[in-house]
Amino acid sequence: MNTKISDHNLTQASSHVTQTVDTSLQSSTLKDTNTYLTEATFNLSDYLAQRREQVEAALESSITSGYPEKLYESMRYSLMAGGKRLRPILCLASCELSGGVLEMAMPTACALEMLHTMSLMHDDLPALDNDDYRRGKLTNHKVYGENIAILAGDALLPYAFEYIVVQTKGVPADRLLKVIAKLSHAVGAKGLAGGQVADLESEKLQNLDLATLNFIHSHKTGALLEACVVSGALLVGANNEVLHRLSRYARNIGLAFQIIDDILDITANKEQLGKTPGKDEKAQKATYPSLLGINESRYQAQKLIEEAKKELAPFQEKAIPLRSLADYIITRTH
């Protein structure tokens, strides 16, 4: 199979549309937030550390113990197992870019991490990826059994939506409905679940093409990342042009994220990844490196990140965190 592609092929999968920068985006909705930021003074490491600490504190209080104890323990075990917390941080960053404050977005940020955690708990099960380690710890089913791991993941899913509705303060109900609709779409048949099924059905296929691989990962990985970015702006009531730009940004970084994941599965070790490396090759899964090679895959990821950052140009300094997070996605080691 000929896998040689042009630069345009991969970026097309993220539905990128080149547009002239519209200065009208710099409206009153985007003023007076993050005005202190400059490229020279912004420190991504400090920013990530601060936001992770805030997210961890919010997650810690989001689920307390209850009966049956084992169910709550299982839910907390995976939710509080650490990790990059990239998804909630993306939500918080897009909320601030759009003129909001952290407090209005934190419940949604926590809910996004609950949904992500649910997907990892189920993904690690023997029926799917069958992994023993996640984030450097034993996977949930290895500690609590497959039955409890399934049910704990099931419990996190609806609780995420409940948490948004109950805990969000000062945001109109119509905006919350839009957020819930966006998140529901991202994890359903047209998002994460659909991508996971397509991934399972594609295992060991010898003729899987790039278009199918793009479909799998734009749904399995990209849909939830897009929801993270867009939901932060929905909470603020951002206009359609802002939402469309953030959506295109998110689709590009989502695909780049998966390309880097595929590369790290080959190049990183267990200590770096916090999970078993080399699983894709062992399962005979098609990956970006297997179709394009590692160097070309890195190049395509970089192209996607550049396209993503172009979408943020009208927001100027307010987009510094999101621009820096895009760069982080392709320079990370786990």
Coordinates of all heavy atoms in Angstrom, one line a residue, residues 2 10 23-24 33 38 64 70 73 90 141 146 189 194 204 216 219 232 234 248 258-259 268 298 303 306 308 314 330:
N2 N 0.5 2.2 -0.8 CA 1.2 3.5 -0.9 C 0.8 4.4 0.2 O -0.4 4.8 0.2 CB 1.0 4.1 -2.3 CG 1.8 5.4 -2.4 OD1 2.7 5.7 -1.6 ND2 1.5 6.2 -3.4
L10 N -3.2 15.1 5.9 CA -3.4 14.9 7.4 C -4.2 16.0 8.0 O -5.1 15.8 8.8 CB -2.1 14.7 8.1 CG -2.2 14.0 9.4 CD1 -2.9 12.7 9.4 CD2 -0.8 13.8 10.0
T23 N -10.4 40.9 12.6 CA -10.1 41.7 13.7 C -11.3 42.0 14.5 O -11.3 42.4 15.7 CB -9.5 43.0 13.3 OG1 -10.3 43.6 12.3 CG2 -8.1 42.8 12.7
S24 N -12.5 41.7 14.0 CA -13.7 41.9 14.7 C -13.9 41.0 15.9 O -14.7 41.2 16.7 CB -15.0 41.8 13.8 OG -15.1 40.5 13.3
T33 N -9.3 40.1 30.1 CA -8.9 38.8 30.7 C -7.5 38.5 30.3 O -7.1 38.7 29.1 CB -9.8 37.7 30.2 OG1 -9.8 37.6 28.8 CG2 -11.2 37.9 30.7
T38 N 2.3 38.1 28.7 CA 3.1 38.3 27.5 C 3.9 37.1 27.2 O 4.1 36.3 28.1 CB 4.1 39.5 27.7 OG1 5.1 39.2 28.7 CG2 3.4 40.8 28.1
T64 N -16.9 12.0 47.5 CA -16.6 11.5 48.8 C -17.0 10.0 48.9 O -17.5 9.4 48.0 CB -17.3 12.4 49.8 OG1 -18.7 12.3 49.5 CG2 -16.8 13.8 49.8
K70 N -16.9 0.0 48.2 CA -16.0 -0.4 47.1 C -16.2 0.3 45.8 O -15.2 0.7 45.1 CB -16.1 -1.9 46.9 CG -15.1 -2.5 45.9 CD -15.2 -4.0 45.7 CE -14.6 -4.7 46.8 NZ -14.5 -6.2 46.6
E73 N -14.6 3.8 46.3 CA -13.2 3.6 46.4 C -12.6 3.4 45.0 O -11.6 4.0 44.6 CB -12.8 2.4 47.2 CG -13.0 2.7 48.7 CD -12.7 1.4 49.5 OE1 -12.2 0.4 48.9 OE2 -13.0 1.3 50.7
L90 N -7.2 22.6 29.6 CA -7.7 23.2 28.3 C -9.0 23.9 28.5 O -9.2 25.0 27.9 CB -7.8 22.1 27.2 CG -6.5 21.6 26.6 CD1 -6.7 20.4 25.8 CD2 -5.8 22.7 25.7
H141 N -9.2 -2.5 37.2 CA -9.7 -3.9 37.3 C -8.7 -4.8 37.9 O -9.1 -5.9 38.4 CB -10.1 -4.4 35.9 CG -8.9 -4.6 35.0 ND1 -8.4 -3.5 34.2 CD2 -8.2 -5.7 34.6 CE1 -7.4 -4.0 33.5 NE2 -7.3 -5.3 33.7
E146 N -12.8 -6.8 37.4 CA -13.4 -6.3 36.2 C -14.8 -5.8 36.4 O -15.2 -4.8 35.9 CB -13.4 -7.4 35.1 CG -12.0 -7.7 34.6 CD -12.1 -8.8 33.5 OE1 -13.0 -8.8 32.7 OE2 -11.2 -9.7 33.5
A189 N -21.7 7.6 20.4 CA -21.4 6.8 19.2 C -20.8 7.7 18.1 O -20.0 7.1 17.3 CB -22.8 6.2 18.7
G194 N -17.7 5.5 19.4 CA -17.6 5.2 18.0 C -16.2 5.0 17.5 O -15.9 4.0 16.7
K204 N -5.4 -5.7 13.3 CA -4.8 -6.7 12.4 C -5.2 -6.6 11.0 O -4.9 -7.5 10.2 CB -5.2 -8.1 13.0 CG -4.7 -8.4 14.4 CD -5.1 -9.8 14.9 CE -4.6 -10.0 16.3 NZ -4.9 -11.3 16.9
I216 N -10.6 7.1 13.2 CA -10.6 6.5 14.5 C -10.1 7.5 15.6 O -10.8 7.7 16.6 CB -9.6 5.3 14.5 CG1 -10.2 4.2 13.7 CG2 -9.3 4.8 15.9 CD1 -9.2 3.0 13.4
H219 N -12.2 10.7 16.5 CA -13.3 10.3 17.3 C -12.9 9.8 18.7 O -13.4 10.3 19.8 CB -14.2 9.3 16.6 CG -14.9 9.9 15.5 ND1 -14.3 10.1 14.3 CD2 -16.2 10.2 15.3 CE1 -15.2 10.6 13.4 NE2 -16.4 10.7 14.0
G232 N -15.3 25.3 27.6 CA -14.9 26.5 28.3 C -15.5 27.8 27.8 O -15.9 28.7 28.5
L234 N -18.2 28.0 25.7 CA -19.6 27.9 25.8 C -20.2 28.4 27.1 O -21.2 29.1 27.2 CB -20.1 26.5 25.6 CG -20.1 25.9 24.2 CD1 -20.4 24.4 24.2 CD2 -21.1 26.6 23.3
R248 N -11.6 24.4 15.6 CA -10.6 24.0 14.6 C -9.2 23.8 15.3 O -8.5 22.9 15.0 CB -10.5 25.0 13.5 CG -11.7 25.0 12.6 CD -11.5 25.8 11.4 NE -11.4 27.3 11.6 CZ -12.4 28.1 11.6 NH1 -13.7 27.7 11.3 NH2 -12.2 29.4 11.8
Q258 N -2.6 12.4 19.3 CA -2.6 11.0 19.0 C -1.4 10.6 18.3 O -0.8 9.5 18.5 CB -3.9 10.6 18.3 CG -4.0 9.1 18.1 CD -4.0 8.3 19.4 OE1 -4.8 8.7 20.3 NE2 -3.2 7.3 19.5
I259 N -0.9 11.4 17.3 CA 0.3 11.0 16.6 C 1.5 10.9 17.6 O 2.2 9.9 17.5 CB 0.6 12.1 15.5 CG1 -0.5 12.1 14.4 CG2 2.0 11.9 14.9 CD1 -0.3 13.2 13.4
A268 N 9.2 5.5 24.1 CA 9.3 5.7 25.5 C 9.2 4.4 26.3 O 8.9 3.4 25.7 CB 8.1 6.6 26.0
R298 N 6.2 12.8 13.1 CA 6.6 14.0 13.8 C 6.3 15.3 13.0 O 5.8 16.3 13.5 CB 8.0 14.0 14.3 CG 8.3 13.0 15.4 CD 9.7 13.2 15.9 NE 10.2 12.1 16.8 CZ 9.8 12.0 18.1 NH1 9.1 13.0 18.6 NH2 10.3 11.0 18.8
K303 N 3.0 20.2 11.8 CA 2.1 20.9 10.9 C 0.8 21.2 11.5 O 0.2 22.3 11.4 CB 2.0 20.1 9.6 CG 3.2 20.0 8.8 CD 3.5 21.3 8.0 CE 2.4 21.5 6.9 NZ 2.7 22.7 6.1
E306 N 1.0 23.9 14.1 CA 1.1 25.2 13.5 C -0.3 25.7 13.0 O -0.6 26.9 13.1 CB 2.1 25.2 12.4 CG 3.5 25.0 12.8 CD 4.0 25.9 13.9 OE1 3.7 27.2 13.8 OE2 4.6 25.5 14.9
A308 N -3.1 24.8 14.2 CA -3.9 25.1 15.4 C -3.6 26.5 15.9 O -4.5 27.2 16.3 CB -3.6 24.0 16.5
P314 N -6.2 35.9 16.3 CA -7.0 37.1 16.6 C -7.1 37.4 18.1 O -7.3 38.5 18.5 CB -8.4 36.8 16.1 CG -8.2 35.8 15.0 CD -7.0 34.9 15.5
I330 N 3.3 18.4 21.6 CA 4.2 17.6 20.7 C 5.6 17.6 21.3 O 6.5 16.9 20.7 CB 4.3 18.2 19.3 CG1 4.6 19.7 19.3 CG2 3.0 18.0 18.6 CD1 5.0 20.2 18.0

